[in-house]
């Protein structure tokens, strides 16, 4: 049995050590899920006592430190990554010296918006119309063709709304181009897609080619940061099936190993456009920790270790709500009190905090999975707590 890279696929059983490039909250939750299965973990991250480093061994070093990466390779039986901005050169080096079933090609593709869009199109899936921008003049021409609003983005480095500029008129073109071009990377202009809902599907694929998708999440963003994921998404059965089909097509077309999060726009006429990919566990999949038979973190470990994938069936409706820095204090105060609203509404809030040192406003510090008999009850509990009105 070989993987998409032509290398012999290995099956790593519990007792093996998983190395994680990146020590953030995704690595933390991956290590917690995998440790329950009997795996050991070691992470490489420049921040001492990183969220993952609190629950696993940690090598404290920069992501482009090749000697530290070699140490990770020596200590781990298999290596994965928990965010895209890991140095692709290091990942490529590790492929030669260790076992990285995800490879470096997918990382290389998803680190760059233009490469990512072209790969999505090559898989036969539509994205919003876009153009590469190499000058202010090209930006003017493309903006005139697309109309306003349209969105200028850096090709690399952007997340949670960073590296983006929503252009609302031609007068903004010079400043937008000058500001974003300072990043020193290519720029891409996207036609603004008027959508009814933002959706995401997380697909898992193992080296043996087995694929499973998690239920479609309906995502609500506030200030370009994910606020809530509502599951089941409030969409038709046809849209649900099509969203899952597109995620499978991308996972197959890109030869994914592990997880791929596929973010989509649903237009008023029922069309789906893929917006972004993330080749790892994803914020919009946190709901699965209690609400599905298998969490996305356990599934990722299963996939990279080439175990049979777990059942992703939804056990209960759920709303995941992110806890940002400004929400931590009111959340902690509420946790110390008897929650009168939860039994009245028939919900069960499950709190996950990531162990980050400083609760900075707009920084992701944790999340709450509100399990309920229906998503309306979960949304009502979130509203009544007043935590997210801060």
């Amino acid at each position: 049995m070989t993987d998409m890279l032509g290398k012999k696929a290995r099956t790593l059983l519990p007792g093996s050590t998983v190395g994680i490039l990146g020590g953030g909250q995704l690595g933390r939750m991956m290590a917690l899920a995998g440790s329950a299965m009997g795996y050991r973990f070691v992470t490489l991250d420049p921040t001492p006592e990183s969220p993952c480093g609190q629950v696993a061994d940690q090598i404290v070093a920069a992501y482009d430190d090749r000697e530290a990466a070699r140490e990770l390779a020596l200590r781990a039986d298999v290596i994965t990554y928990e965010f895209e901005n890991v140095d692709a050169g290091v990942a490529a080096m590790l492929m030669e010296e260790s076992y990285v079933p995800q490879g470096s090609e997918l990382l290389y593709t998803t680190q760059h918006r233009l490469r990512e869009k072209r790969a999505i199109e090559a898989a036969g899936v539509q994205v919003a119309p876009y153009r590469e921008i190499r000058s202010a003049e090209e930006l003017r021409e493309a903006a005139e063709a697309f109309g306003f609003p349209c969105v200028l983005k850096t090709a690399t480095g952007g997340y949670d709304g960073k590296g983006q500029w929503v252009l609302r008129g031609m007068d903004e073109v010079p400043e937008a181009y000058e500001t974003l071009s300072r990043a020193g990377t290519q720029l891409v202009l996207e036609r603004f897609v008027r959508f009814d809902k933002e959706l995401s599907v997380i697909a898992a694929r193992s080296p043996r080619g087995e694929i499973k998708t998690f239920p479609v999440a309906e995502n609500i963003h506030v200030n370009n940061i994910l606020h809530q994921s509502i599951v089941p998404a409030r969409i038709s059965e046809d849209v649900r099936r099509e969203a899952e089909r597109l995620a499978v097509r991308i996972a197959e077309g890109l030869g994914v190993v592990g997880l791929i999060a596929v973010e989509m726009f649903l237009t008023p006429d029922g069309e789906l456009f893929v917006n972004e990919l993330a080749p790892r566990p994803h914020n919009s999949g946190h709901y699965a920790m209690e609400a599905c038979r298998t969490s996305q973190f356990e599934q990722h470990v299963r996939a990279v270790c080439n175990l049979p994938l777990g059942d992703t069936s939804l056990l209960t409706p759920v709303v995941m709500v992110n806890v940002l820095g400004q929400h931590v204090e009111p959340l902690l105060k509420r946790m110390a009190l008897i929650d009168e609203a939860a039994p009245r509404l028939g919900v069960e809030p499950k709190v996950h905090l990531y162990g980050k040192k400083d609760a900075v406003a707009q920084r992701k510090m944790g999340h709450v999975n509100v399990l309920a008999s229906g998503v309306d009850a979960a949304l009502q509990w979130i509203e009544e707590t007043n935590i997210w009105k801060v």
Side-chain angles (χ1 to χ4, degrees):
M1 177 173 51
T2 59
D3 61 17
M4 291 288 287
L5 302 166
K7 294 186 176 182
K8 183 174 177 58
R10 306 179 195 173
T11 299
L12 287 303
L13 296 175
S16 302
T17 298
V18 179
I20 305 176
L21 282 166
Q25 63 262 26
L26 301 179
R28 177 191 182 95
M29 291 182 278
M30 194 190 302
L32 289 170
S35 295
M37 299 168 68
Y39 289 94
R40 298 174 182 273
F41 288 83
V42 56
T43 184
L44 189 158
D45 192 276
T47 305
E49 285 287 296
S50 67
C52 185
Q54 294 169 26
V55 299
D57 291 339
Q58 181 175 350
I59 300 166
V60 180
Y63 295 125
D64 59 357
D65 185 329
R66 297 202 170 205
E67 287 309 308
R70 286 192 175 95
E71 181 184 348
L72 182 70
L74 287 171
R75 294 175 62 179
D77 300 299
V78 60
I79 291 176
T80 184
Y81 43 81
E82 62 109 45
F83 77 128
E84 296 96 305
N85 293 325
V86 170
D87 187 274
V90 166
M93 180 204 76
L94 288 172
M95 282 185 61
E96 300 299 319
E97 302 188 14
S98 184
Y99 179 51
V100 188
Q102 291 163 282
S104 62
E105 184 64 30
L106 184 60
L107 193 63
Y108 175 79
T109 298
T110 55
Q111 282 179 339
H112 193 283
R113 290 186 195 277
L114 282 166
R115 291 195 293 262
E116 179 177 277
K117 289 176 184 300
R118 290 163 185 156
I120 294 168
E121 289 177 316
V125 177
Q126 68 178 349
V127 297
Y130 67 95
R131 286 193 193 175
E132 181 180 357
I133 301 300
R134 288 164 290 199
S135 68
E137 182 57 34
E138 284 192 356
L139 178 56
R140 276 191 291 273
E141 291 174 1
E144 187 173 7
F146 285 168
F148 296 98
C150 50
V151 188
L152 183 66
K153 299 180 180 180
T154 56
T156 61
Y159 65 97
D160 288 347
K162 297 176 177 65
Q164 299 187 20
W165 190 302
V166 178
L167 291 165
R168 303 193 183 278
M170 199 63 76
D171 58 318
E172 295 183 22
V173 164
E175 185 183 359
Y177 181 79
E178 182 185 352
T179 300
L180 293 193
S181 61
R182 288 184 200 135
T185 181
Q186 291 169 285
L187 301 178
V188 57
L189 185 72
E190 298 176 5
R191 178 179 288 167
F192 189 84
V193 175
R194 299 192 182 279
F195 57 86
D196 273 352
K197 295 182 187 296
E198 292 181 85
L199 308 175
S200 61
V201 177
I202 294 173
R205 184 180 177 278
S206 69
R208 65 181 81 196
E210 184 185 11
I211 296 178
K212 290 198 176 178
T213 58
F214 283 87
V216 181
E218 175 188 343
N219 300 316
I220 296 171
H221 290 78
V222 175
N223 298 323
N224 293 310
I225 299 173
L226 181 63
H227 173 48
Q228 293 175 349
S229 291
I230 299 167
V231 185
R234 295 168 296 185
I235 54 177
S236 70
E237 182 65 16
D238 286 347
V239 170
R240 182 193 66 76
R241 281 197 298 265
E242 178 65 3
E244 292 178 355
R245 187 188 72 81
L246 294 180
V248 168
R249 192 161 189 170
I250 287 172
E252 289 177 334
L254 274 63
V256 169
V257 171
L259 298 188
I260 186 96
V262 182
E263 298 181 74
M264 310 175 199
F265 294 133
L266 174 64
T267 67
D269 60 2
E271 272 195 293
L272 287 169
F273 291 89
V274 171
N275 179 35
E276 289 185 346
L277 306 178
R280 51 165 172 79
H282 192 257
N283 195 173
S284 68
H286 292 351
Y287 74 85
M289 293 175 77
E290 287 92 10
C292 291
R293 289 183 181 273
T294 305
S295 77
Q296 65 165 340
F297 300 103
E298 178 185 336
Q299 195 79 302
H300 184 76
V301 172
R302 285 180 167 277
V304 298
C305 291
N306 204 25
L307 297 183
L309 298 180
D311 183 355
T312 57
S313 299
L314 191 68
L315 297 170
T316 173
V318 57
V319 175
M320 187 286 302
V321 56
N322 267 331
V323 176
L324 305 183
Q326 65 268 31
H327 305 138
V328 172
E329 185 177 351
L331 174 66
L332 292 177
K333 285 182 179 177
R334 187 175 181 89
M335 288 179 70
L337 305 174
I338 293 174
D339 188 347
E340 139 322 286
R344 172 168 50 82
L345 295 169
V347 307
E348 182 62 35
K350 298 292 186 180
V351 177
H352 299 267
L353 294 173
Y354 304 149
K356 294 181 180 179
K357 184 178 178 182
D358 298 313
V360 178
Q362 301 304 109
R363 186 187 190 196
K364 293 175 184 174
M365 302 296 295
H367 68 273
V368 180
N369 286 336
V370 187
L371 312 178
S373 57
V375 297
D376 287 344
L379 291 167
Q380 181 64 29
W381 181 88
I382 293 166
E383 177 72 17
E384 285 190 21
T385 65
N386 292 319
I387 293 167
W388 287 274
K389 294 179 181 176
V390 175

